[in-house]
Amino acid sequence: CVAVAYRPPDASAASFSKMMDCFARVIENCKPSDYDLFVTGDFNLPQIDWDTYQIRSGGTSESNSAAKCLLNFMSTHLLSQMVTEPTRGKSILDLIMCNNDRLISDVSCEGTELSDHSMVKALMSFNPGIWEKAQSSYLGEMSFRSLDFNRADFDVLNAKLSAIDWEEIRHSDSFEEFPAKFTSKVLEICLENVPRKQPPSGKPRIYNSLRRKKSRLNIRLLAAKGANDAARVKKLEDEVGLLSFKIKEAIVRHLDESERRAVGKIKENPKYFYSYAKSFSKVKHSISTL
């Protein structure tokens, strides 16, 4: 889920709060697969110290209220601010916030003649433009790469391959035709005995139940706010915050488990490990001037 915002320097706190509420509603209505959140834009809030996430003195009351609103929004949705260099003068005004910092490999700022703000570049660890196609296009193929050898029973597979009279196959055709026939026979046996890969969901299963529970709590929270029940509002806000933290933990555990599984297969299946490592390769995708 990607959101882009612009807050004018003289914007009221009320209008900024409405925009943040709009973002919150969109996030709550996202599909479960869209749990990675990116919020970026020019927020014009120089009084926020991004090393400590505290509000420095010197801002107007309206901008300070907006800064507090933004920090509360970030806390609720477990967002981290990734820009560390000034983007205008000595201030960090242009922000990139994300709830999964593993997806951002590097952030840099450089001057441009197009604006008095620096241009912020974020290097992603994946290509969002081909994310869905790259993960599912090969699953319908009748090929080796459509098979999940990590779940294969190699004892059964070896028995099936050993039962083939390879000498007979070798002498039934010419030497030039044998490699293709050999490959075709091995693929035929693998297709019959190796499970096919499943489209990845990209999220741990526990995330779904936590997300649904959080949605139900938010409905009850809105009802409590409408009834002006301050005690219940506080209790539900605490429960929503705790669930948000559990969701973040579930995502991190899922990523850590994937990493442990890849490391554990370095010796027995190095191809699996290198495939996992390659998925985090730093490939820069240029974006033309808007």
Side-chain angles (χ1 to χ4, degrees), residues 2-290:
V2 179
V4 181
Y6 171 67
R7 176 190 172 275
D10 57 351
S12 67
S15 64
F16 183 73
S17 178
K18 288 181 180 179
M19 182 177 69
M20 291 292 98
D21 289 343
C22 178
F23 283 178
R25 288 193 298 271
V26 171
I27 291 171
E28 289 302 322
N29 292 325
C30 283
K31 294 184 297 183
S33 59
D34 296 334
Y35 69 86
D36 290 325
L37 306 178
F38 296 88
V39 182
T40 184
D42 178 4
F43 287 82
N44 283 303
L45 294 171
Q47 66 267 53
I48 299 179
D49 183 344
W50 291 113
D51 290 327
T52 62
Y53 286 75
Q54 299 294 319
I55 300 174
R56 294 186 289 247
S57 60
T60 65
S61 59
E62 290 290 307
S63 64
N64 286 341
S65 296
K68 183 178 179 180
C69 177
L70 177 61
L71 292 175
N72 288 338
F73 175 84
M74 294 177 64
S75 176
T76 299
H77 298 286
L78 305 172
L79 298 171
S80 299
Q81 205 287 113
M82 310 300 292
V83 181
T84 58
E85 303 175 38
T87 62
R88 185 177 186 274
K90 297 182 179 180
S91 302
I92 301 177
L93 305 181
D94 306 273
L95 313 177
I96 296 176
M97 293 166 278
C98 178
N99 69 340
N100 183 0
D101 53 15
R102 297 190 185 192
L103 297 180
I104 298 181
S105 302
D106 184 57
V107 176
S108 61
C109 304
E110 61 181 53
T112 172
E113 296 179 356
L114 300 175
S115 172
D116 58 344
H117 288 235
S118 296
M119 180 169 57
V120 181
K121 293 184 177 181
L123 183 62
M124 313 297 290
S125 59
F126 72 98
N127 183 355
I130 59 172
W131 180 263
E132 182 176 354
K133 181 179 178 181
Q135 293 213 17
S136 61
S137 61
Y138 62 87
L139 295 179
E141 296 178 359
M142 303 295 284
S143 63
F144 288 109
R145 68 173 182 167
S146 68
L147 303 176
D148 189 354
F149 285 94
N150 293 304
R151 296 190 292 133
D153 187 332
F154 283 94
D155 292 333
V156 172
L157 197 58
N158 287 333
K160 294 286 185 180
L161 292 170
S162 299
I164 302 297
D165 190 342
W166 297 106
E167 284 295 322
E168 180 183 349
I169 295 176
R170 164 67 185 86
H171 296 293
S172 64
D173 291 293
S174 66
F175 182 80
E176 291 78 11
E177 294 173 334
F178 173 69
K181 194 164 187 178
F182 172 82
T183 302
S184 177
K185 190 63 179 178
V186 173
L187 177 59
E188 177 186 334
I189 294 172
C190 289
L191 288 171
E192 292 175 354
N193 297 280
V194 178
R196 298 184 72 86
K197 291 179 180 177
Q198 299 297 318
S201 66
K203 60 190 181 304
R205 291 182 179 179
I206 190 175
Y207 174 80
N208 289 330
S209 61
L210 291 174
R211 181 69 176 272
R212 288 192 292 268
K213 187 173 181 180
K214 183 181 176 183
S215 295
R216 291 194 295 269
L217 279 177
N218 276 315
I219 293 174
R220 291 161 58 188
L221 178 59
L222 288 174
K225 287 181 177 179
N228 293 321
D229 188 341
R232 185 166 176 75
V233 166
K234 180 64 170 62
K235 179 176 179 295
L236 289 172
E237 284 180 341
D238 290 343
E239 290 182 17
V240 169
L242 181 60
L243 271 178
S244 297
F245 179 75
K246 288 182 177 179
I247 290 171
K248 179 71 171 182
E249 279 192 324
I251 295 169
V252 172
R253 283 198 302 270
H254 173 67
L255 294 172
D256 288 343
E257 178 58 32
S258 297
E259 184 174 301
R260 283 194 297 270
R261 185 164 57 248
V263 171
K265 292 182 179 293
I266 289 178
K267 290 185 178 180
E268 64 181 77
N269 191 352
K271 185 176 180 181
Y272 179 88
F273 171 78
Y274 290 123
S275 176
Y276 172 81
K278 187 178 179 181
S279 68
F280 292 93
S281 62
K282 298 181 180 181
V283 180
K284 185 177 293 187
H285 300 277
S286 60
I287 300 176
S288 58
T289 303
L290 300 179

